[in-house]
C-alpha cells in the first residue's frame, strides 16, 4: 500500500520531468540542438498563464486563458527561433547550447521583472480536488499530468514516425544539407518545432504550476529533466518519458528508504549508473559510424 | 577621514542576491532599503551627507560575491555593509571586512555565524535560525503535547543550523528527536520523505527548505491525510505568499521568525504607513522582505544620526551599541550593547489561518 | 602586409611565428607583470580574478576544446583542488609543496572519473560530469571530517620563500603568484600542443576512428586529457579558494561549471587565447556592467538600484550577442581582425561574410 | 535551338577569402546533357552548389526557366525542379532506405507517382529493395551512392545536377548508371548537368562539354568535338604514352593554362 | 609465411552476411587487390583488419601474430596503416598536423618531456617533420601543407589520406578505393605512387579498387569477392576473364 502510494505519486511527478524532457527531445530530434532554456520556457509558460488567469492579474477564466497562453508560448517559441536561434543556423551545436543557457538568464530576468521573485500558484479548476483509488490518493492535478503527458508523448511519437513532416524533421536533423537537397525548407521546419516546443513548455508549466507553485528560479528544474531525457536516450520521445518516470519514481523511494544525507543523491547516482552501463541512454539513438 | 565618508556622502555597500535562487529575498529587501535612503537623501541626508547604497549582485555564487566585495571595498570604498545575503558569502566577506573594521550590519541570514569573532564590527538584527527552531519546537510541544520532532532540510549551513535548533528544542521540551530527511533545492516531490516521517511517528516537522518546497510539503501532507503532523518553518519560509496559497493548502503551517507578518497587520499604523510609502515610491505592493530591508535601513540611518557629524567606524559602532527602540513596523524590540550585537532576540511563532499569518506565541 | 619565409623546420615547431610576434607577447607579459604599478587595488583584484578563471579555462580547454570531451562538471574539480590544497596546508605542508600536489591529486581524481566515462560522448558526457558537479556539494557535506562540511574552511595567507602571499593583506604578491601559475600552465599547454600528445588529443576530437587507425589509444588519450585538464583546474580551484579565503559546499556550485563552459565557448574552443579572452568576458563583464550602471545612474540621477537583477539580464543579452556575432568565439574574430591587418590593403569588403553552412548529425560515432 | 533552361552568367563564389569559381558562364538547353570536366579543386562541386542554392554566389546571375535563382534558399530551387545529387552521397544515415527515398519525394504529394517512382528506383537498383529497412548509414559506400541517385530520381526533376554519380560504383554499375541516365534523357527528355571524372563515359553521354580549371571555364564545345581535342584526350581521357614510366614526371603543359 | 592471413572468417550484421567464410593471404611485398560488386564486403575486410569489427568465426593472422587479440589502436603498432573509403581525416587540423598524427606510433617521449618540451621532444619533432616532408614531397602535397582539411577538394583529401597512412611508415598499407573521385590524370599519378610505395619503400599494399585499369596496372594478385565470399583469386588477367567476375562485377566490357 505504502509503496503503491510512493510509486503512483512518483509517476505523477516523473511525468512532469517527462514533459520538460519532451521539450528537450523535440528540439533535439528535429535540429540536434540542445535547448538549455527549456526549463525556463516552462517557467515562463506557467507565469504567462498565471498572468492571464489569476485574479490579481488579468483574471480571465481558466479555460479561456489556457489556449491563449499556449498560443503565446507557441508564438514565443517561434520568435525565439526566428530572431535568435536561426542566426546560428549551421553553426556548431556548442554555440547553440551556450546561447540557450544565456537565453535562460534573460528569461529568468524578464520573468522576475514582470511577476516578481516570490512563488506563485496557478488558480485552476483542479486545485484541491483529489482522486482516490482504493487507499491511494492522487491530486486531480496529478491525474491530469499523467494523462496529458502520456497522450502528448504518444501524439508526438506518431507525428515523428508517421507524418511526412515528422520524417523531414528527422532528416533535417541528421543532415541539413541533404534535407535542403530534398527540398525540405529546413529553417521553416525548425521554426515550427521551436513553436511546438514552446507549446509543450507551456503545457508543462501550466501543469507544474497547478501542482505546486512557480518562481523565476523554477527553470533550474530543467537540469533534472535534462538528466531524465539523457537517461532515456536523448532523441527518443518514449525515452524522455521513461527517463522522467525513472527519476520521478526513484526520488520518493530514495527519501523513504535511504538514510538522510544520502537520499537526495539518488537520482544523480542513478543517472551515473545508467550512463556507465548504457552510455547512450536506455533507448539509444547513437550509432557506430560505418567507415 | 574614514573610508566611505566624505563631506557630503556616505557609501553603504551590500552584496546581495538579485538574480539567483534567493532573489525573492534580495530583491524586495534592496527595494525596501532604497525607499528609506531615497527619502532620507531627499530630506538632505544624515548630518548633511547623502547616503549612497551600492548593491552588488552575487547571484548566490561565491566568485561573484568576492568580486562584489572587491568592488565595494577597493573601488567604492564603502563605510559599512548592510543586508548582505548568503551565509557562505558573508563568511568569506568577513575575511576582508574584519581587518579594516568595516561594520557588517543586519545581514540577510539568520545564521549564528554572523556574530563570530571578532564580534566588534558585526551587528545582526534578528534571532538566529537556531533559536527560531528551538523556540518553535518548544512551543508546539507544549501546545499539542507532541512527542517526536523531525527535520527536513537542505544539507547546507542553513539546514544544519535548523536541525541543531530542532534537536535543542526537543531536548528543552523533554521530547525525542525522531529522524531527519535531506533534500535538494530542485526536489519537487516529498511523498517518500513524508511517509518516512509518518512511519517514524513524527508529529512536529521542522523545515529548512526553499519557499516553494515548503508549500509543496505542506500540501502533500494534506493530501496524504497527515493531519496531526505539525509543520514548522523559520524566517526563511515566513512569507505572506505562503499564507496566501489558494485553496487553503498551507492552513495550519507554523513559522517561527523574528518578525511579524506585514499584511496580517496592514491595518495597524506602522505597517499601513510603510505600505503606503512603499507603494508611492515603487508602485507595487511590498512583501515581507521589503519590510525587513526598510527597517534595516532605518536602523542604519538611526545609527548614523546618533554617531554624529564626526563619522568614523568607532563612532558608528559606539552609536550602534546604544540603539534601543521598538521597531513598530517589524514588531520587535531592537537593542544593542557593547556585549550584545544581536538586535532583537524575540521569536514569534505564527500560524496560517484563513490565508493569513496569525501570531500565536512570542518569546 | 607581412610575409614570413620559412627556412627551417623549427619555425613551425617554435610556438611563435617570428621575432616580431615573440616580442609582442613578451611586451604583453611585461605589461601584465607590471600591473601593480599601473592598476589600483580594485582592478588588480579583478585582473587576478580573471587570471584565475583563465587558468580554469585552460584546464577545461584541454578537455573540451582540444579533446572534444564536453564537461559540464568542472566546478567539482575546482572544489577538489581547493580542498586538497587547504587540507595539505593544514596538515603542515608548505604551500610550495601542497599546491602542486593538490593539482596532481585532482588529476588523479579526474582519471578516476574518466574511467567510467570513457564510453560517453557529447551530451551524455556533459550530463555525466554535470551530475558529478551536483553531487560534489553532497560529497563535501558527507566528508565532513576532512572538508569541514557546511561550516566550510578558511585559508589565510601562505608563505613562499619567506614572502607572505595573501589576497587581501598582500594583493600584489598574490597577483604575481597567480600570474606565475597562469604563465607556467600556458607554456606547458603550448608545449603540449606542438608535441605528439597534443596532436593525439585533436585526433580523438576530430575522428576517433582514424585516430585509432593511426595507433592512438583512445581510452588512454582521454584519460591523460582528463588528468591534465583536472590538474590544471585543480590549481585554479586552489587559487580560487585562496582568493575568496573562505569556502564551503555551496561555493563551487554547478552554475560555476556552466559558466566555465560558457567561458571557453565564447572565448573560442580549441585555442589558448580563447581561454583568456573568455575569462575576460565571464570574469570581468559583470563587474563592468555594475560599474557602467553607476555612470548610467549618474546621468539619469539616482545612485540606487533601479531594476534589481538588471545587470544579470544584460549579461545574458550580451552573451547572446557575442555568440550571434561570432559563433566560433572571440578568438575566431581576433584571427579575422589580424588577417585584415596582415592583408592590408588587399582585403575585400565581404571577405569574412559567412557562407551558408550546414550541420551533420553527431549521433554517429 | 531552343532557349537555354539554365543559364549561368559570370558567377563568382567564395569560401571566406578564397575565390573558388571566378566568373563562370554556361548554358544548359532543355533536354540536353551538359558535362563538366576538370581536375581536382577546379571548382566543379562549388559550381553545382552555387546553382542549387546551398552556396551564395558573390557575383553573377543564374536563371532557371527564366527566373533568377542565384542566392535563393535551396529548397526553393528544388521546388522549381532542380535536383542535386551531391558529391559524397549525403544520405540520411539514421533513416532507412525507404525513408530516404520518401524524403527524396518530399516536394511531391502524388502518392501514385511516388509509389511508381519507388518501384522504378528499385528496378534500377534491386539491392536497395532488398535493404529497404536497413539504416542508410550502414550501407556500403556504393550502395549509398545508389541510394543518393535513386533519391534524386524520386523528385521527378526538370533538371538533375549530378556530381560524380559513378563515384565508388562497380564497373558493371557504372555502365548501368550511364545507361539509366541515357534512358532518362531519351525517354523523359530530362535535362542534366553532369560532373564526372570518368570523362570518357561522360562525354559519350553528353551533348555538350565544358572544361574547368582553377575556377574558370577554359574550354567548351559539343561533346564529340571535345573528344577529338588533343588536350582533352591527354588529360581527361588518358589516351597517352601507355605505361611510359619515365614520362611520368614530365607532364605536358596544358595549353590553356 | 604470409604477411596477412584470413582463415574462414565470417561476419554478420543482423541478417546480412558481410563476410562469408573468407580465406586468403597476402604475401610480403606484393600488391594485392580486392575487387567485387558494391556491398561485397571489401571494406568490411579492411574493418576487420583494423579491429573495428569482431568476426564471429575464423582467424586473422598478421606477421605471425593473432590479430584478433590486438585492440584497434594496437594494429598500427604492428605497422598496418589504412585509408578510408569515405575519407576520415582530422577536419579541423592542417594537412601537416594530420600527417604528424600519423607519426604517433613512433612516439618515444613521455608526458613530462613533452610538457616541458625537453630537447628529446624537440629532436623527435624535427625527426617527425623530416619524415613527413619526405612524404609531402613524394605525393606532391607541398601546396597544401598548411591548409585546413575542411577546405580541401575531394581529390586532395584522398591523397592526404594516403600520405597520413604512409607517415606511419607501415609494413602493410590498406587502401580503400584510392582512386575513386580522381581524374584520369590523377589516377595515373596514383598508379605510379602505388608502384613506388611497393618498390622504393618496400611496403606491401592491400587495395580495394573499382578502377580495373589501375588494378591490372599495379597489382600482382587480385581477389574477387561477391556477397562476402571469394569468387576468384589470381593474376589480374585471370580474374578479369573469370566468367563469374565478368557476370557479377565487370559487365560485358564494351
Ligand atoms: N569548405 C571550403 N573552405 C575553403 N575552401 C574550399 C572549401 N571547399 C572547397 N574549397 C576550395 O574551393 C576550390 C574548389 O573546390 P571544389 O570542391 O569545387 O572542387 P572540385 O572541382 O569539385 O574538385 P574534386 O574533383 O576534387 O571534387 C578548391 O580549391 C578548394 O580548395
Ligand atoms: N554496420 C552495419 N550494419 C549492417 N549492415 C552492414 C554494416 N556494415 C556493412 N553492412 C553491410 O555489409 C555489406 C558489406 O559492406 P562493405 O562496406 O564491406 O561493402 P563493400 O564491398 O566495401 O562495398 P562498396 O564497394 O560499395 O564500398 C553491405 O551489404 C552492407 O550493407
Ligand atoms: Mg567535387
Ligand atoms: Mg567499401
Amino acid at each position: 500500500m505504502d509503496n503503491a502510494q510512493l510509486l503512483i505519486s512518483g509517476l505523477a511527478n516523473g511525468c512532469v520531468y517527462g514533459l520538460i524532457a519532451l521539450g528537450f527531445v523535440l528540439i533535439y530530434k528535429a535540429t540536434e540542438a540542445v535547448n538549455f532554456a527549456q526549463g525556463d520556457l516552462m517557467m515562463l509558460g506557467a507565469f504567462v498563464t498565471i498572468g492571464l488567469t489569476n485574479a490579481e492579474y488579468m483574471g480571465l477564466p481558466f479555460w479561456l486563458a489556457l489556449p491563449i497562453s499556449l498560443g503565446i508560448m507557441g508564438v514565443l517559441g517561434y520568435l525565439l527561433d526566428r530572431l535568435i536561434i536561426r542566426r546560428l543556423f549551421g553553426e556548431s551545436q556548442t554555440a547553440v547550447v551556450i546561447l540557450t543557457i544565456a537565453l535562460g538568464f534573460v528569461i529568468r530576468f524578464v520573468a522576475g521583472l514582470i511577476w516578481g521573485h516570490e512563488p506563485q500558484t496557478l488558480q485552476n479548476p483542479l486545485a484541491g480536488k483529489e482522486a482516490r483509488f482504493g487507499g491511494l490518493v492522487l491530486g486531480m492535478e496529478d491525474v491530469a499530468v499523467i494523462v496529458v503527458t502520456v497522450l502528448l508523448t504518444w501524439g508526438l511519437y506518431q507525428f515523428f514516425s508517421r507524418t511526412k513532416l515528422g520524417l523531414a524533421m528527422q532528416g533535417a536533423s541528421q543532415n541539413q544539407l541533404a534535407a535542403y537537397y530534398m527540398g525540405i525548407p529546413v529553417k521553416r521546419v525548425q521554426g515550427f518545432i521551436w513553436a511546438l516546443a514552446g507549446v509543450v513548455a507551456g503545457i508543462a508549466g501550466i501543469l507544474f504550476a497547478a501542482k505546486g507553485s512557480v518562481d523565476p528560479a523554477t527553470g533550474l528544474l530543467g537540469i533534472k529533466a535534462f538528466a531524465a531525457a539523457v537517461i532515456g536516450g536523448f532523441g527518443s520521445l518514449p525515452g524522455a518519458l521513461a527517463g522522467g518516470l525513472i527519476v520521478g519514481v526513484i526520488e520518493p523511494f530514495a527519501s523513504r528508504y535511504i538514510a538522510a544525507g544520502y537520499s537526495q543523491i539518488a537520482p544523480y547516482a542513478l543517472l551515473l549508473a545508467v550512463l556507465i552501463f548504457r552510455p547512450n541512454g536506455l533507448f539509444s539513438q547513437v550509432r557506430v559510424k560505418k567507415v | 577621514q574614514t573610508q566611505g565618508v566624505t563631506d557630503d556622502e556616505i557609501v553603504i555597500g551590500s552584496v546581495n542576491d538579485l538574480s539567483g535562487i534567493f532573489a525573492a529575498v534580495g530583491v524586495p529587501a534592496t527595494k525596501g532599503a532604497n525607499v528609506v535612503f531615497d527619502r532620507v537623501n531627499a530630506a538632505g541626508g544624515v548630518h548633511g551627507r547623502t547616503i549612497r547604497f551600492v548593491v552588488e549582485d552575487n547571484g548566490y555564487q561565491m566568485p561573484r560575491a568576492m568580486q562584489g566585495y572587491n568592488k565595494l571595498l577597493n573601488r567604492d570604498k564603502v563605510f559599512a555593509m548592510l543586508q548582505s545575503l548568503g551565509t557562505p558569502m558573508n563568511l568569506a566577506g568577513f575575511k576582508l571586512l574584519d581587518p579594516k573594521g568595516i561594520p557588517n550590519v543586519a545581514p540577510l541570514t539568520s545564521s549564528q555565524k554572523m556574530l563570530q569573532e571578532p564580534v566588534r564590527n558585526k551587528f545582526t538584527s534578528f534571532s538566529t535560525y537556531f533559536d527560531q527552531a528551538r523556540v518553535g519546537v518548544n512551543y508546539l510541544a507544549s501546545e499539542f503535547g507532541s512527542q517526536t520532532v523531525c527535520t527536513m532540510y537542505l544539507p547546507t549551513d542553513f539546514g544544519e543550523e535548523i536541525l541543531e535548533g530542532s534537536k535543542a528544542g526537543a531536548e528543552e521540551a523533554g521530547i525525542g528527536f525522531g529522524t531527519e530527511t535531506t533534500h535538494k533545492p530542485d526536489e519537487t516531490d516529498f511523498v517518500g520523505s513524508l511517509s518516512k516521517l509518518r512511519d517514524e511517528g513524527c508529529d512536529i516537522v521542522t523545515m529548512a527548505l526553499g519557499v516553494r518546497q515548503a508549500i509543496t510539503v505542506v500540501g502533500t501532507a494534506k493530501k496524504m491525510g497527515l493531519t496531526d503532523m505539525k509543520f514548522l518553518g523559520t524566517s526563511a519560509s515566513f512569507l505572506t505568499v505562503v499564507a496566501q496559497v489558494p485553496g487553503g493548502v498551507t492552513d495550519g503551517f507554523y513559522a517561527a521568525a523574528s518578525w511579524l507578518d506585514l499584511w496580517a497587520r496592514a491595518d495597524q499604523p506602522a505597517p499601513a504607513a510603510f505600505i503606503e510609502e512603499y507603494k508611492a515610491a515603487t508602485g507595487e505592493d511590498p512583501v515581507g522582505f521589503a519590510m525587513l530591508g526598510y527597517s534595516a535601513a532605518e536602523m542604519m540611518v538611526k545609527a548614523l544620526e546618533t554617531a554624529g557629524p564626526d563619522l568614523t567606524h568607532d563612532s558608528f559602532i559606539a552609536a550602534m551599541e546604544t540603539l534601543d527602540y521598538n521597531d513598530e513596523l517589524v514588531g520587535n524590540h531592537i537593542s544593542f550593547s557593547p556585549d550584545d550585537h544581536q538586535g532583537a532576540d524575540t521569536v514569534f511563532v505564527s500560524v496560517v489561518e484563513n490565508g493569513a499569518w496569525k501570531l500565536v506565541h512570542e518569546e | 602586409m607581412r610575409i614570413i619565409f620559412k627556412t627551417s623546420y623549427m619555425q613551425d615547431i617554435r610556438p611563435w611565428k617570428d621575432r616580431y610576434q615573440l616580442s609582442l607577447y613578451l611586451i604583453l607579459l611585461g605589461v601584465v607583470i607590471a600591473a601593480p604599478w599601473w592598476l589600483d587595488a580594485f582592478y588588480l583584484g579583478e585582473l587576478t580574478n580573471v587570471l584565475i578563471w583563465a587558468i580554469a579555462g585552460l584546464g577545461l580547454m584541454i578537455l573540451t576544446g582540444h579533446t572534444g570531451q564536453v564537461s559540464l562538471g568542472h566546478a567539482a574539480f575546482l572544489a577538489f583542488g581547493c580542498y586538497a590544497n587547504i587540507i595539505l596546508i593544514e596538515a603542515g605542508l608548505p604551500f610550495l609543496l601542497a599546491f602542486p600536489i593538490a593539482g596532481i591529486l585532482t588529476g588523479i581524481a579526474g582519471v578516476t572519473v574518466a574511467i567510467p566515462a570513457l564510453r560517453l560522448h557529447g551530451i551524455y558526457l556533459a550530463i555525466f560530469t554535470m551530475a558529478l558537479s551536483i553531487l560534489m556539494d553532497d560529497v563535501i557535506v558527507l566528508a565532513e571530517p576532512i572538508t569541514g562540511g557546511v561550516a566550510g574552511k578558511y585559508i589565510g595567507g601562505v608563505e613562499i620563500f619567506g614572502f607572505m602571499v595573501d589576497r587581501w593583506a598582500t594583493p600584489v604578491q598574490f597577483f604575481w603568484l597567480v600570474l606565475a601559475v597562469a604563465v607556467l600552465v600556458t607554456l606547458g599547454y603550448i608545449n603540449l600542443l606542438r608535441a605528439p600528445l597534443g596532436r593525439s588529443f585533436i585526433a580523438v576530437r576530430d575522428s576517433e576512428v582514424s585516430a585509432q587507425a593511426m595507433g592512438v589509444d583512445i581510452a588512454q588519450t582521454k584519460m591523460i586529457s582528463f588528468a591534465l585538464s583536472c590538474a590544471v583546474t585543480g590549481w585554479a580551484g586552489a587559487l580560487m579558494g585562496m582568493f575568496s579565503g573562505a569556502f564551503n559546499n555551496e561555493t563551487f556550485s554547478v552554475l560555476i561549471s556552466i559558466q566555465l563552459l560558457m567561458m571557453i565557448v565564447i572565448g573560442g574552443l580549441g585555442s589558448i587565447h580563447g581561454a583568456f579572452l573568455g575569462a575576460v568576458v565571464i570574469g570581468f563583464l559583470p563587474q563592468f556592467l555594475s560599474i557602467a550602471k553607476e555612470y548610467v545612474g549618474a546621468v539619469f540621477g539616482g545612485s540606487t538600484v533601479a531594476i534589481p537583477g538588471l545587470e544579470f539580464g544584460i549579461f545574458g543579452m550580451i552573451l547572446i550577442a557575442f555568440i550571434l556575432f561570432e559563433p566560433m568565439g572571440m578568438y575566431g574574430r581576433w584571427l579575422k581582425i589580424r588577417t585584415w591587418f596582415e592583408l592590408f590593403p588587399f582585403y575585400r569588403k565581404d571577405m569574412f561574410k559567412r557562407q551558408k553552412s550546414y550541420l551533420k548529425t553527431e549521433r554517429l560515432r | 535551338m531552343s532557349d537555354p533552361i539554365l543559364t549561368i552568367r559570370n558567377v563568382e563564389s567564395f569560401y571566406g577569402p578564397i575565390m573558388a569559381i571566378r566568373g563562370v558562364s554556361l548554358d544548359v538547353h532543355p533536354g540536353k546533357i551538359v558535362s563538366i570536366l576538370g581536375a581536382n579543386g577546379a571548382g566543379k562541386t562549388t559550381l553545382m552548389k552555387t546553382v542549387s542554392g546551398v552556396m551564395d554566389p558573390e557575383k553573377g546571375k543564374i536563371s532557371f526557366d527564366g527566373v533568377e535563382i542565384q542566392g535563393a534558399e535551396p529548397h526553393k530551387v528544388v521546388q522549381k525542379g532542380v535536383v542535386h545529387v551531391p558529391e559524397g552521397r549525403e544520405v540520411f544515415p539514421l533513416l532507412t532506405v525507404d525513408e530516404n527515398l520518401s524524403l527524396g519525394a518530399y516536394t511531391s504529394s502524388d502518392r501514385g507517382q511516388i509509389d511508381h517512382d519507388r518501384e522504378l528506383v528499385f528496378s534500377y537498383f534491386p539491392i536497395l529493395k532488398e535493404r529497404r529497412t536497413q539504416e542508410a548509414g550502414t550501407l556500403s559506400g556504393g550502395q549509398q551512392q545508389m541510394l543518393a541517385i535513386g533519391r534524386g530520381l524520386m523528385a521527378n526533376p526538370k533538371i538533375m545536377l549530378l556530381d560524380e554519380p559513378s563515384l565508388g560504383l562497380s564497373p558493371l554499375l557504372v555502365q548501368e548508371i550511364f545507361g539509366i541516365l541515357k534512358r532518362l534523357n531519351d525517354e523523359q527528355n530530362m535535362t542534366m548537368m553532369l560532373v564526372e571524372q570518368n570523362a570518357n563515359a561522360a562525354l559519350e553521354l553528353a551533348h555538350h562539354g565544358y572544361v574547368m580549371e582553377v575556377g574558370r571555364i577554359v574550354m567548351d564545345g559539343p561533346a564529340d568535338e571535345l573528344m577529338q581535342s588533343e588536350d582533352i584526350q591527354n588529360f581527361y581521357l588518358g589516351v597517352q604514352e601507355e605505361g611510359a614510366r619515365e614520362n611520368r614526371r614530365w607532364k605536358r603543359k596544358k595549353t590553356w593554362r | 609465411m604470409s604477411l596477412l592471413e584470413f582463415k574462414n572468417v565470417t561476419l554478420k550484421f543482423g541478417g546480412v552476411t558481410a563476410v562469408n567464410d573468407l580465406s586468403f593471404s597476402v604475401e610480403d611485398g606484393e600488391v594485392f587487390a580486392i575487387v567485387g560488386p558494391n556491398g561485397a564486403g571489401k571494406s568490411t575486410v579492411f574493418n576487420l583488419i583494423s579491429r573495428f569489427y569482431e568476426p564471429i568465426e575464423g582467424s586473422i593472422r598478421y606477421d605471425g601474430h593473432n590479430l584478433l587479440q590486438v585492440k584497434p589502436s594496437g594494429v598500427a603498432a604492428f605497422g598496418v596503416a589504412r585509408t578510408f573509403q569515405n575519407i576520415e581525416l582530422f577536419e579541423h587540423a592542417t594537412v601537416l598536423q594530420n600527417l604528424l598524427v600519423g607519426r604517433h606510433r613512433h612516439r618515444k617521449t613521455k608526458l613530462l618531456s613533452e610538457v616541458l618540451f625537453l630537447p628529446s621532444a624537440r629532436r623527435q619533432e624535427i625527426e617527425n617533420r623530416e619524415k613527413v616532408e619526405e612524404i609531402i614531397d613524394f605525393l606532391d602535397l607541398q601546396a597544401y601543407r598548411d591548409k585546413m582539411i575542411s577546405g580541401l577538394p575531394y581529390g586532395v583529401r584522398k591523397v592526404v589520406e594516403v600520405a597520413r597512412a604512409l607517415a606511419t611508415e607501415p609494413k602493410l598499407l590498406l587502401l580503400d578505393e584510392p582512386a575513386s573521385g580522381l581524374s584520369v590524370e590523377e589516377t595515373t599519378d596514383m598508379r605510379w605512387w602505388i608502384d613506388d610505395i611497393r618498390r622504393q619503400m618496400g611496403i606491401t599494399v592491400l587495395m580495394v579498387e573499382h578502377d580495373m585499369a589501375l588494378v591490372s596496372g599495379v597489382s600482382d594478385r587480385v581477389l574477387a569477392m561477391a556477397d562476402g565470399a571469394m569468387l576468384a583469386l589470381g593474376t589480374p588477367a585471370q580474374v578479369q576473364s573469370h566468367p563469374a567476375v565478368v557476370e557479377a562485377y565487370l559487365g560485358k566490357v564494351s
Side-chain angles (χ1 to χ4, degrees), chain D residues 44-45 87 163-164, chain E residues 154:
Chain D
K44 308 177 296 292
T45 302
E87 173 182 89
D163 200 346
E164 307 204 15
Chain E
Y154 190 91

Side-chain angles (χ1 to χ4, degrees), chain C residues 10 12 191 197 206 210 217, chain E residues 71 88 92 114-115 129:
Chain C
M10 274 322 283
D12 279 335
N191 286 339
L197 191 60
D206 282 2
S210 49
D217 185 331
Chain E
K71 54 182 176 177
E88 290 285 332
H92 304 285
E114 290 184 14
V115 170
R129 185 62 195 271

Side-chain angles (χ1 to χ4, degrees), chain D:
Chain D
M1 207 168 179
S2 59
D3 283 342
I5 184 166
L6 177 72
T7 55
I8 301 176
R9 287 288 170 271
N10 282 319
V11 165
E12 288 183 6
S13 283
F14 287 82
Y15 292 99
I18 303 161
M19 194 187 223
I21 49 180
R22 311 159 172 251
V24 166
S25 298
L26 160 168
D27 287 323
V28 184
H29 290 273
K32 301 287 183 230
I33 300 180
V34 163
S35 178
I36 302 171
L37 308 179
N40 250 306
K44 308 177 296 292
T45 302
T46 311
L47 179 61
M48 295 284 222
K49 285 184 168 175
T50 311
V51 172
S52 61
V54 301
M55 276 183 75
D56 289 338
E58 207 119 303
K59 279 209 191 101
K61 284 206 168 55
I62 303 174
S63 54
F64 178 74
D65 240 356
V67 190
E68 286 191 10
I69 55 167
Q70 73 274 8
E73 288 277 295
H75 64 95
K76 295 250 168 68
V77 178
V78 176
Q79 281 160 8
K80 294 204 162 60
V82 182
V83 159
H84 185 165
V85 176
E87 173 182 89
R89 291 110 196 208
E90 310 282 357
V91 295
F92 301 107
L94 299 166
L95 297 183
T96 63
V97 169
D98 246 347
E99 289 169 330
N100 266 278
L101 290 176
S102 305
L103 282 185
Y106 182 81
T107 45
S108 115
S109 49
D110 179 351
R111 280 204 165 261
Q113 180 70 36
I114 294 175
D115 289 340
H116 170 261
D117 288 347
R118 193 188 303 265
E119 284 313 314
L120 188 72
V121 170
F122 285 153
S123 74
Y124 291 152
F125 308 113
I127 187 75
L128 293 185
K129 184 165 194 173
E130 229 172 85
R131 302 292 173 85
R132 44 192 309 171
T133 55
Q134 188 171 335
E135 280 182 10
T138 64
L139 293 174
S140 84
Q143 290 165 344
Q144 289 187 16
Q145 186 66 40
M146 298 177 218
L147 180 57
I149 298 171
R151 203 178 51 176
L153 292 175
M154 293 291 291
N156 260 311
K158 288 194 202 145
I159 181 171
M160 257 184 129
L161 313 180
L162 294 148
D163 200 346
E164 307 204 15
S166 73
L167 189 87
L169 293 181
S170 74
L172 178 63
L173 263 163
V174 174
Q175 288 171 29
E176 282 180 17
I177 291 278
F178 281 100
I180 292 167
L181 294 183
K182 182 150 184 57
R183 252 169 62 201
L184 284 173
N185 181 249
D186 287 348
E187 292 167 12
Q188 301 181 21
N189 210 20
M190 192 185 288
T191 317
M192 291 179 203
M193 196 165 136
L194 174 71
V195 166
E196 254 301 328
Q197 297 295 2
N198 192 340
N200 246 324
L203 286 181
E204 194 88 28
L205 178 70
H207 301 99
H208 201 90
Y210 289 84
V211 179
M212 271 184 95
E213 286 291 332
V214 279
R216 287 200 184 81
I217 300 230
V218 288
M219 211 178 176
D220 83 293
D224 35 3
E225 275 176 34
L226 281 183
M227 290 244 261
Q228 302 311 316
S229 146
E230 200 184 335
D231 286 323
I232 298 288
Q233 288 195 345
N234 274 324
F235 294 110
Y236 295 102
L237 304 177
V239 199
Q240 74 184 74
E241 324 90 293
E242 208 24 74
R245 169 108 241 254
E246 288 67 28
N247 292 341
R248 188 192 140 221
R249 307 278 181 210
W250 178 82
K251 286 187 185 172
R252 238 192 93 186
K253 283 266 164 10
K254 291 177 182 172
T255 48
W256 52 79
R257 251 187 195 154

Side-chain angles (χ1 to χ4, degrees), chain E residues 198-216:
Chain E
R198 189 244 305 252
R199 281 184 222 284
Q200 292 175 6
M201 306 186 181
I203 297 171
T204 311
V205 177
L206 174 58
M207 163 175 93
V208 167
E209 184 51 62
H210 288 301
D211 184 333
M212 287 314 285
L214 178 61
V215 169
S216 49

Side-chain angles (χ1 to χ4, degrees), chain C residues 6 9-10 12-13 188 191 194-197 199-200 203 205-207 209-210 212-217, chain E residues 52 71 73 76 84 88 90-92 100 104 111 114-117 122 124-125 129-130 133 146 164:
Chain C
K6 288 190 182 160
Y9 293 156
M10 274 322 283
D12 279 335
I13 295 172
N191 286 339
R194 53 187 174 139
L197 191 60
R199 284 193 299 266
S200 66
R205 176 190 72 190
D206 282 2
S207 166
V209 179
S210 49
Q212 271 180 332
M214 295 299 117
V216 176
D217 185 331
Chain E
F52 295 155
K71 54 182 176 177
S73 59
F84 296 88
E88 290 285 332
F90 308 117
E91 286 278 319
H92 304 285
L100 284 171
H104 192 82
L111 174 64
E114 290 184 14
V115 170
L116 300 176
F117 217 72
R122 178 181 310 261
Q124 176 178 287
E125 273 312 286
R129 185 62 195 271
E130 258 161 19
E133 284 302 327
D146 291 319
R164 186 181 62 178

Side-chain angles (χ1 to χ4, degrees), chain B residues 18-19 27 34 52 56 60-64 66-67 70-71 74-75 95-96 155-157 160 184, chain C residues 42-43 46 49 138 150 155 167-168 244 246 249-251 256 259 283 287 290-291 294 304 308-309 312:
Chain B
L18 305 179
S19 60
V27 170
N34 277 334
R52 187 152 67 88
E56 295 299 320
Y60 207 73
Q61 290 170 41
M62 191 67 116
R64 295 278 297 281
M66 294 322 294
Q67 284 186 292
N70 184 30
K71 173 164 180 287
N74 286 327
R75 188 185 150 83
K95 303 276 293 174
L96 348 169
T156 59
D157 188 76
E160 297 220 333
K184 281 225 167 269
Chain C
F42 165 67
Y43 282 105
E46 287 307 310
N49 183 51
D138 299 285
V150 298
I155 180 169
R167 158 68 180 108
W168 294 101
S244 68
N249 58 319
E250 290 181 272
T251 301
I256 295 187
Q259 287 194 2
Q287 205 66 297
S290 172
I291 294 169
E294 282 167 31
T304 49
F312 200 64

